[in-house]
Short mmCIF file of all heavy atoms in Angstrom, two decimals:
data_model
loop_
_atom_site.label_atom_id
_atom_site.label_comp_id
_atom_site.label_asym_id
_atom_site.label_seq_id
_atom_site.Cartn_x
_atom_site.Cartn_y
_atom_site.Cartn_z
N MET L 526 118.95 93.82 214.62
CA MET L 526 117.86 93.91 215.59
C MET L 526 118.14 93.06 216.81
O MET L 526 117.79 93.44 217.96
CB MET L 526 116.54 93.48 214.96
CG MET L 526 115.95 94.48 214.00
SD MET L 526 114.36 93.94 213.38
CE MET L 526 113.93 95.35 212.36
N THR L 529 120.46 95.00 218.94
CA THR L 529 119.72 96.09 219.57
C THR L 529 118.83 95.57 220.68
O THR L 529 118.70 96.21 221.76
CB THR L 529 118.89 96.83 218.51
OG1 THR L 529 119.73 97.23 217.43
CG2 THR L 529 118.22 98.05 219.10
N LEU L 530 118.20 94.44 220.45
CA LEU L 530 117.36 93.83 221.49
C LEU L 530 118.19 93.47 222.72
O LEU L 530 117.75 93.64 223.87
CB LEU L 530 116.65 92.60 220.94
CG LEU L 530 115.41 92.83 220.09
CD1 LEU L 530 114.92 91.51 219.51
CD2 LEU L 530 114.31 93.46 220.95
N MET L 533 118.93 96.74 224.53
CA MET L 533 117.72 97.23 225.18
C MET L 533 117.33 96.36 226.36
O MET L 533 116.83 96.85 227.38
CB MET L 533 116.56 97.29 224.19
CG MET L 533 116.68 98.41 223.17
SD MET L 533 115.17 98.61 222.25
CE MET L 533 114.09 99.25 223.52
N VAL L 537 116.79 97.84 229.96
CA VAL L 537 115.51 97.65 230.65
C VAL L 537 115.72 97.01 232.00
O VAL L 537 115.12 97.39 233.03
CB VAL L 537 114.54 96.82 229.77
CG1 VAL L 537 113.35 96.34 230.59
CG2 VAL L 537 114.08 97.63 228.58
N LYS L 607 107.34 106.28 233.09
CA LYS L 607 106.90 106.51 231.71
C LYS L 607 107.98 106.11 230.70
O LYS L 607 107.72 105.48 229.67
CB LYS L 607 106.52 107.97 231.53
CG LYS L 607 105.27 108.39 232.25
CD LYS L 607 104.95 109.85 232.00
CE LYS L 607 103.68 110.28 232.77
NZ LYS L 607 103.38 111.72 232.54
N ASN L 608 109.21 106.50 231.00
CA ASN L 608 110.32 106.10 230.11
C ASN L 608 110.46 104.58 230.06
O ASN L 608 110.74 104.00 228.99
CB ASN L 608 111.62 106.73 230.58
CG ASN L 608 111.61 108.24 230.40
OD1 ASN L 608 110.86 108.78 229.57
ND2 ASN L 608 112.43 108.94 231.18
N LEU L 609 110.29 103.94 231.21
CA LEU L 609 110.39 102.48 231.24
C LEU L 609 109.28 101.83 230.41
O LEU L 609 109.51 100.84 229.69
CB LEU L 609 110.34 101.99 232.68
CG LEU L 609 110.53 100.49 232.89
CD1 LEU L 609 111.88 100.04 232.35
CD2 LEU L 609 110.40 100.14 234.37
N GLU L 610 108.06 102.41 230.48
CA GLU L 610 106.98 101.89 229.64
C GLU L 610 107.30 102.05 228.15
O GLU L 610 107.04 101.16 227.33
CB GLU L 610 105.67 102.61 230.00
CG GLU L 610 105.12 102.25 231.36
CD GLU L 610 103.86 103.03 231.68
OE1 GLU L 610 103.46 103.86 230.82
OE2 GLU L 610 103.29 102.82 232.76
N GLY L 611 107.88 103.22 227.79
CA GLY L 611 108.29 103.41 226.38
C GLY L 611 109.34 102.41 225.96
O GLY L 611 109.29 101.86 224.85
N LEU L 612 110.33 102.19 226.89
CA LEU L 612 111.35 101.19 226.58
C LEU L 612 110.75 99.80 226.39
O LEU L 612 111.10 99.04 225.47
CB LEU L 612 112.40 101.17 227.68
CG LEU L 612 113.42 102.32 227.69
CD1 LEU L 612 114.28 102.25 228.95
CD2 LEU L 612 114.29 102.28 226.44
N LEU L 613 109.84 99.44 227.28
CA LEU L 613 109.21 98.12 227.16
C LEU L 613 108.39 98.00 225.88
O LEU L 613 108.40 96.95 225.20
CB LEU L 613 108.34 97.86 228.39
CG LEU L 613 109.09 97.66 229.71
CD1 LEU L 613 108.09 97.54 230.87
CD2 LEU L 613 109.99 96.43 229.64
N ALA L 614 107.65 99.08 225.53
CA ALA L 614 106.87 99.04 224.29
C ALA L 614 107.78 98.94 223.07
O ALA L 614 107.53 98.15 222.12
CB ALA L 614 105.98 100.28 224.19
N THR L 615 108.87 99.75 223.10
CA THR L 615 109.82 99.68 221.98
C THR L 615 110.47 98.31 221.90
O THR L 615 110.66 97.75 220.81
CB THR L 615 110.89 100.77 222.13
OG1 THR L 615 110.25 102.05 222.25
CG2 THR L 615 111.83 100.78 220.94
N HIS L 616 110.81 97.76 223.06
CA HIS L 616 111.40 96.41 223.07
C HIS L 616 110.42 95.37 222.53
O HIS L 616 110.81 94.45 221.79
CB HIS L 616 111.81 96.07 224.51
CG HIS L 616 112.51 94.76 224.63
ND1 HIS L 616 111.84 93.57 224.84
CD2 HIS L 616 113.82 94.44 224.54
CE1 HIS L 616 112.69 92.58 224.88
NE2 HIS L 616 113.93 93.08 224.71
N LYS L 617 109.16 95.54 222.91
CA LYS L 617 108.16 94.60 222.40
C LYS L 617 108.00 94.71 220.87
O LYS L 617 107.95 93.70 220.15
CB LYS L 617 106.82 94.87 223.09
CG LYS L 617 105.73 93.90 222.69
CD LYS L 617 104.45 94.21 223.45
CE LYS L 617 103.35 93.23 223.05
NZ LYS L 617 102.08 93.52 223.77
N ASN L 618 107.92 95.96 220.38
CA ASN L 618 107.82 96.15 218.92
C ASN L 618 109.04 95.62 218.19
O ASN L 618 108.94 94.99 217.14
CB ASN L 618 107.63 97.64 218.60
CG ASN L 618 106.29 98.17 219.11
OD1 ASN L 618 105.32 97.41 219.26
ND2 ASN L 618 106.23 99.47 219.39
N LEU L 619 110.21 95.89 218.79
CA LEU L 619 111.43 95.40 218.17
C LEU L 619 111.48 93.87 218.18
O LEU L 619 111.95 93.25 217.23
CB LEU L 619 112.64 95.98 218.90
CG LEU L 619 114.00 95.85 218.18
CD1 LEU L 619 113.96 96.56 216.86
CD2 LEU L 619 115.12 96.40 219.06
N THR L 620 110.95 93.29 219.27
CA THR L 620 110.88 91.82 219.32
C THR L 620 109.95 91.27 218.25
O THR L 620 110.27 90.28 217.57
CB THR L 620 110.41 91.36 220.71
OG1 THR L 620 111.28 91.91 221.69
CG2 THR L 620 110.40 89.85 220.80
N CYS L 621 108.80 91.92 218.05
CA CYS L 621 107.86 91.48 217.00
C CYS L 621 108.49 91.65 215.61
O CYS L 621 108.36 90.77 214.73
CB CYS L 621 106.57 92.28 217.08
SG CYS L 621 105.60 91.98 218.56
N SER L 622 109.19 92.79 215.45
CA SER L 622 109.85 93.00 214.17
C SER L 622 110.95 91.97 213.93
O SER L 622 111.13 91.47 212.81
CB SER L 622 110.42 94.42 214.10
OG SER L 622 111.05 94.65 212.86
N HIS L 623 111.68 91.65 215.00
CA HIS L 623 112.71 90.62 214.87
C HIS L 623 112.10 89.27 214.51
O HIS L 623 112.62 88.53 213.66
CB HIS L 623 113.49 90.54 216.19
CG HIS L 623 114.56 89.51 216.18
ND1 HIS L 623 114.36 88.21 216.62
CD2 HIS L 623 115.86 89.55 215.75
CE1 HIS L 623 115.46 87.53 216.48
NE2 HIS L 623 116.40 88.32 215.96
#
Side-chain angles (χ1 to χ4, degrees):
M526 286 183 178
T529 307
L530 280 174
M533 288 191 69
V537 167
K607 291 181 181 179
N608 293 337
L609 184 59
E610 290 178 359
L612 284 173
L613 291 175
T615 305
H616 184 271
K617 183 178 180 181
N618 294 334
L619 194 60
T620 304
C621 293
S622 181
H623 179 267

